[in-house]
């Protein structure tokens, strides 16, 4: 398997999607001129990313530390859900919402730095779904970290369904004691199933709350960015108006003299 230079991948996957094919074909031609047929073939197999995948790739390559902090929550969330640790799960879910919301804002900023129109309706919902899937699935997390996604992905829930960890011990019981033991075992199993259902319900509520909060944050971030742009333009207009005022005052003074 041909390993492509990271510098080449970085150039291809941080470039806007509409420039990907031209940049890829240029890289293929350069490899062929160098006589490196295997590299040329490997480059030619690279697929153009969607806008959502491009945004995730930008996060992986330009906000590596922030993305790493988010993905580090994945193992903790899976363990908390598996062990039915409700309080910890709620705390980690809150951190997850904040981390995803922050990365959504970063994706919007990176898109603008790359030249996207601030009025463009970016597919931030797909970015959010991909980040959530990366938290739930180690394979998706690895693909996101690589920064070479061609398509966004999604995940309907989080982690595996918790299974009660029970141990059956047989032998050494009197016949009269076995019914009581069987009843206790069934009660333990039912208690575990109840806890599992409660954990799943809490996870569903936390996931929904996270999605709602992320959407609100994305909307507020967009509004904030727009206000900042308007503020910068207003400051520029004010400076220009003051310069014109001073020029007019000087001209009036000269005329009066």
């Amino acid at each position: 398997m041909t390993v492509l230079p990271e510098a080449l991948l970085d150039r291809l996957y941080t470039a806007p999607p509409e420039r990907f094919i031209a940049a890829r074909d240029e890289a293929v031609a350069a490899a062929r001129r160098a006589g490196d047929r295997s590299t040329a073939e490997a480059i030619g197999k690279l697929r153009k990313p969607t806008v959502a995948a491009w945004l995730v790739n930008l996060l992986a390559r330009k906000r590596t530390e922030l993305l790493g902090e988010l993905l580090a929550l994945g193992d903790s969330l899976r363990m908390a859900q598996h062990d039915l640790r409700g309080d910890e799960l709620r705390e980690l879910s809150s951190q997850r919402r904040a981390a995803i919301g922050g990365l959504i804002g970063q994706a919007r900023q990176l898109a603008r730095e790359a030249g996207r129109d601030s009025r463009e309706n970016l597919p931030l919902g797909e970015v959010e779904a991909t980040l959530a899937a990366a938290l739930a699935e180690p394979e998706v997390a690895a693909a996101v970290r690589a920064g070479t996604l061609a398509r966004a992905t999604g995940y309907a829930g989080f982690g595996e369904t918790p299974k009660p960890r029970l141990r059956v011990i047989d032998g050494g019981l009197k016949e009269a004691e076995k019914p009581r033991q069987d009843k206790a075992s069934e009660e333990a199993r039912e208690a575990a199933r109840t806890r599992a259902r409660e954990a799943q319900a809490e996870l569903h509520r936390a996931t929904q709350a996270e999605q709602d909060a992320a959407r609100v944050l994305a909307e507020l971030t967009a509004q904030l960015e727009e206000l900042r742009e308007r503020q910068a333009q207003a400051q520029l207009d004010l400076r220009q108006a003051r310069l014109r005022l001073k020029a007019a005052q000087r001209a009036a003074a000269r005329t009066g003299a």
Side-chain angles (χ1 to χ4, degrees):
M1 179 179 178
T2 302
V3 178
L4 296 176
E6 190 59 33
L8 170 64
L9 295 175
D10 191 68
R11 185 168 71 252
L12 290 176
Y13 284 98
T14 57
E18 58 270 18
R19 300 180 193 168
F20 180 88
I21 293 178
R24 181 195 62 190
D25 292 348
E26 180 182 344
V28 169
R32 286 176 177 167
R33 287 194 299 269
D36 193 344
R37 180 176 299 178
S38 61
T39 296
E41 291 178 354
I43 296 172
K45 293 178 181 179
L46 298 176
R47 301 274 71 85
K48 172 184 174 182
T50 63
V51 174
W54 170 64
L55 291 173
V56 176
N57 293 335
L58 284 178
L59 291 173
R61 294 180 175 278
K62 294 183 177 294
R63 298 294 185 269
T64 307
E65 184 175 347
L66 290 176
L67 182 64
E69 290 174 359
L70 171 70
L71 297 181
L73 293 173
D75 290 340
S76 298
L77 278 163
R78 283 188 292 273
M79 291 177 61
Q81 183 189 359
H82 184 274
D83 295 339
L84 306 177
R85 300 196 298 266
D87 291 341
E88 183 178 353
L89 182 61
R90 283 190 289 273
E91 174 60 27
L92 289 170
S93 295
S94 178
Q95 295 178 29
R96 175 179 178 239
R97 288 193 296 273
I100 288 181
L103 284 170
I104 292 298
Q106 290 294 320
R108 184 185 295 278
Q109 178 182 336
L110 289 170
R112 290 183 177 177
E113 291 175 359
R116 306 305 272 207
D117 192 320
S118 61
R119 293 168 295 183
E120 180 179 351
N121 186 22
L122 297 171
L124 298 178
E126 294 180 51
V127 175
E128 178 189 344
T130 301
L131 295 177
L135 276 172
E137 297 288 350
E139 296 82 1
V140 179
V144 167
R145 285 184 190 275
T148 56
L149 287 182
R151 296 286 182 274
T153 186
Y155 190 74
F158 188 90
E160 62 180 283
T161 302
K163 299 178 178 62
R165 294 177 294 177
L166 302 177
R167 182 174 59 182
V168 177
I169 301 176
D170 195 11
L173 293 177
K174 297 179 180 179
E175 291 299 321
E177 293 176 336
K178 287 186 178 180
R180 289 196 297 272
Q181 181 64 36
D182 291 342
K183 181 179 180 181
S185 298
E186 179 57 33
E187 289 176 349
R189 286 192 292 270
E190 181 58 31
R193 286 193 290 267
T194 299
R195 292 173 60 199
R197 287 193 294 268
E198 290 174 350
Q200 286 295 319
E202 174 60 26
L203 176 62
H204 176 74
R205 290 192 294 270
T207 301
Q208 186 61 52
E210 175 193 8
Q211 294 173 350
D212 293 343
R215 279 193 292 271
V216 171
L217 178 60
E219 293 172 0
L220 291 176
T221 300
Q223 294 173 18
L224 179 59
E225 290 296 330
E226 182 179 352
L227 288 173
R228 284 174 176 167
E229 291 175 1
R230 291 172 60 187
Q231 180 188 36
Q233 184 61 49
Q235 290 173 338
L236 177 61
D237 293 343
L238 178 59
R239 286 195 296 269
Q240 292 175 343
R242 285 174 174 170
L243 291 174
R244 288 196 300 271
L245 174 60
K246 290 180 180 179
Q249 288 172 338
R250 288 193 296 268
R254 288 193 300 267
T255 302

